[in-house]
Amino acid sequence: MEMIDLIREEKGDLKTVQLLYSAAIKKVVTKLEILNDEFKQTHNYNPIEYVKSRVKSDNSIREKMHRKGIKPSLENIVTELDDIAGVRIVCSFTPDIYKMVDIIGAQDDLTVVSVKDYIKNPKESGYKSFHMNVKVPIHLSDRMVNTQVEIQIRTIAMDFWASLEHKIYYKFEGNAPEYISRELRECASFVSMMDDKMLSLNEAIMQEKEKESQP
């Protein structure tokens, strides 16, 4: 069953919807922890540095619906907003991002709804991240409800830039002066160069270790 069907049957209220989103986040985060532990054990390497998660607050939901001109209703919340439940995966290097994309896409209990690659195609602001919307089956006492979660995957450097960019734009309520936007785009270029340099250094270290291990 889809969440919208639950609502239309009048068996879903706001508390039930919030419960489903929270449960979906727990399920995704637990899955990621297990996958990361497996990588540590099998490959002596962990592609995930850390994971953050949140269910969008009531105020944030109202603000976004107002900004998008959407009539506030439970049905519209579920059908028009795809980022109420959010999980952010922060990786060490860019290749780790695409590794996680492949792993998540291969999970048989997750359904990938859509993807947006803002790494290969950054936003005009300079924002970089990989977005996946997935549906997670949540089993209640009398039914199973597919619940959508937005997964964002980025490097530490990308996350650093995006977090500060969000705070800066929030202070200007989305209307920052052009010179601020220009400086942020320039900082985004520095972040990309740093990601590339750190990846290059890591590859060089791995090559040196491989040489040392050879007889």
Side-chain angles (χ1 to χ4, degrees), residues 3 6 13-26 55 85 138-141 147:
M3 192 184 291
L6 184 71
D13 55 15
L14 181 58
K15 288 186 177 179
T16 302
V17 168
Q18 290 174 328
L19 169 68
L20 287 165
Y21 282 125
S22 295
I25 282 178
K26 289 177 183 176
V55 176
I138 302 300
H139 296 271
L140 301 178
S141 59
T147 306

Side-chain angles (χ1 to χ4, degrees), residues 18-213:
Q18 290 174 328
L19 169 68
L20 287 165
Y21 282 125
S22 295
I25 282 178
K26 289 177 183 176
K27 192 167 183 176
V28 171
V29 169
T30 299
K31 177 180 288 292
L32 293 171
E33 290 173 350
I34 294 170
L35 290 169
N36 207 34
D37 288 344
E38 180 201 357
F39 259 86
K40 288 179 186 177
Q41 180 177 320
T42 307
H43 305 288
N44 195 30
Y45 174 73
N46 54 308
I48 301 174
E49 288 288 335
Y50 54 88
V51 176
K52 298 179 181 179
S53 62
R54 62 101 182 97
V55 176
K56 195 179 282 290
S57 68
D58 293 348
N59 283 339
S60 293
I61 290 172
R62 282 194 292 269
E63 287 174 6
K64 187 163 187 178
M65 295 190 78
H66 177 72
R67 192 166 64 249
K68 295 180 71 173
I70 302 169
K71 181 181 178 181
S73 71
L74 190 56
E75 184 170 329
N76 284 344
I77 288 173
V78 170
T79 56
E80 300 294 333
L81 303 184
D82 57 11
D83 63 345
I84 296 177
V87 173
R88 184 183 306 161
I89 305 170
V90 179
C91 300
S92 304
F93 307 105
T94 304
D96 294 331
I97 294 174
Y98 292 101
K99 187 176 296 181
M100 291 309 305
V101 169
D102 291 339
I103 292 171
I104 292 169
Q107 300 299 302
D108 58 11
D109 57 345
L110 297 180
T111 302
V112 178
V113 178
S114 64
V115 298
K116 292 179 181 178
D117 190 343
Y118 294 118
I119 298 171
K120 293 179 179 176
N121 301 289
K123 290 186 178 181
E124 186 178 348
S125 64
Y127 174 86
K128 283 188 172 185
S129 186
F130 195 102
H131 291 197
M132 303 178 75
N133 280 308
V134 301
K135 285 190 177 178
V136 185
I138 302 300
H139 296 271
L140 301 178
S141 59
D142 60 345
R143 67 194 64 217
M144 184 276 288
V145 184
N146 286 314
T147 306
Q148 188 158 295
V149 175
E150 182 190 63
I151 301 176
Q152 298 178 355
I153 316 174
R154 56 181 71 155
T155 63
I156 299 171
M158 292 175 195
D159 191 51
F160 164 76
W161 182 91
S163 296
L164 293 184
E165 187 255 5
H166 177 75
K167 288 183 179 180
I168 290 170
Y169 271 105
Y170 185 81
K171 291 177 181 178
F172 288 103
E173 297 183 347
N175 296 308
E178 173 55 30
Y179 79 93
I180 295 289
S181 298
R182 186 173 61 252
E183 292 288 338
L184 283 169
R185 288 193 295 270
E186 185 175 344
C187 288
S189 298
F190 294 152
V191 165
S192 295
M193 286 189 288
M194 184 170 67
D195 263 337
D196 292 341
K197 186 64 175 177
M198 295 304 289
L199 175 60
S200 178
L201 285 170
N202 184 64
E203 290 173 344
I205 291 169
M206 297 302 292
Q207 289 173 2
E208 289 298 323
K209 283 190 173 183
E210 188 174 339
K211 289 179 184 177
E212 292 174 2
S213 64

